[in-house]
């Protein structure tokens, strides 16, 4: 258990280093070209996801996302207590990753984002992004579990571009990004609605997965 919990903490921390660190670097080097900055941010995040899912998958299942752990619990494939511990590790890991990234880029360690991310289009985007992620995860487990790392990495890389919200799709990521006033940040007051939308997407995904794949998945 302790190995799995630490893997979730460490993996989620790595993920936020990729998200926030590449955002800072991209904003610095892209000279105002937001498309180029977003492309760099998306590619770095996708690369990190592939690595950490491949590396930690056999240890913890490589959730790195509270809605993934909660979905497994709701499907009866993970004890609620274990899911709660995983979620705590993910949130603290994400925050630790943000603080470490600030240290690497010589920024104030503790920040609050001023980047507004609110409104109907972004909320719909977060519902869809979370829905799609969970369908990929559980559908992938049903069809080809060895391809999960590549599928999730490719999905999130693409979702940076085909969703208005740039696809947070992760409550731990949403919370941690509120603590970084950088390219990847989100105004703290806008985080709760993002999380509500992510949970809605999770519920819809569980219904869709059951309709399409039945119970033919495993964690």
């Amino acid at each position: 258990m302790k190995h799995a919990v630490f893997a979730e903490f460490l993996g989620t921390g790595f993920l936020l280093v990729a998200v926030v660190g590449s955002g800072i670097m991209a904003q610095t080097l892209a000279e105002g070209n937001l498309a180029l900055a977003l492309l760099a941010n998306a590619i770095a995040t996708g690369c990190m996801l592939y690595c950490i899912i491949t590396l930690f998958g056999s240890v913890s299942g490589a959730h790195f996302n509270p809605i993934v752990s909660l979905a497994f619990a709701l499907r009866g494939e993970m004890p609620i207590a274990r899911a709660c511990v995983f979620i705590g590790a993910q949130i603290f890991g994400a925050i630790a990753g943000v603080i470490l990234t600030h240290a690497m880029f010589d920024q104030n360690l503790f920040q609050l984002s001023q980047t507004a991310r609110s409104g109907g289009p972004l909320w719909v985007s977060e519902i869809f992004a979370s829905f799609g992620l969970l369908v990929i995860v559980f559908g992938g487990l049903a069809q080809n579990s060895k391809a999960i790392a590549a599928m999730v990495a490719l999905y999130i890389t693409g979702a940076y571009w085909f969703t208005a919200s740039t696809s947070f799709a992760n409550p731990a990521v949403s919370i941690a990004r509120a603590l970084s006033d950088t390219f990847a940040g989100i105004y703290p007051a806008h985080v709760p609605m993002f999380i509500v939308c992510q949970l809605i997407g999770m519920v819809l995904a569980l219904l869709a997965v059951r309709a399409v794949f039945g119970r033919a998945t495993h964690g």
Side-chain angles (χ1 to χ4, degrees), residues 152-165:
V152 171
L154 288 170
Y155 175 79
I156 292 297
T157 301
Y160 262 73
W161 287 86
F162 60 69
T163 63
S165 64

Side-chain angles (χ1 to χ4, degrees), residues 35-122:
L36 182 59
L38 184 63
L39 179 62
N41 198 203
I43 291 172
T45 301
C47 289
M48 180 62 85
L49 276 168
Y50 181 83
C51 291
I52 60 177
I53 294 171
T54 301
L55 182 63
F56 297 119
S58 63
V59 180
S60 68
H63 296 185
F64 314 131
N65 187 333
I67 61 171
V68 173
S69 299
L70 181 57
F72 273 110
L74 292 175
R75 286 171 56 85
E77 297 174 6
M78 168 179 277
I80 290 291
R82 183 182 178 94
C84 289
V85 174
F86 269 32
I87 290 169
Q90 293 154 4
I91 292 171
F92 284 110
I95 294 171
V98 167
I99 293 171
L100 174 59
T101 304
H102 291 162
M104 290 195 292
F105 285 91
D106 193 26
Q107 298 205 357
N108 292 330
L109 298 185
F110 302 100
Q111 307 174 17
L112 289 177
S113 176
Q114 301 302 309
T115 302
R117 298 181 191 265
S118 186
L122 273 69

Side-chain angles (χ1 to χ4, degrees), residues 123-147:
W123 298 336
V124 173
S125 294
E126 278 304 293
I127 291 172
F128 176 75
S130 304
F131 171 84
L133 176 61
L134 269 294
V135 170
I136 292 291
V137 168
F138 288 103
L141 287 172
Q143 300 300 308
N144 184 1
S145 61
K146 292 182 179 179

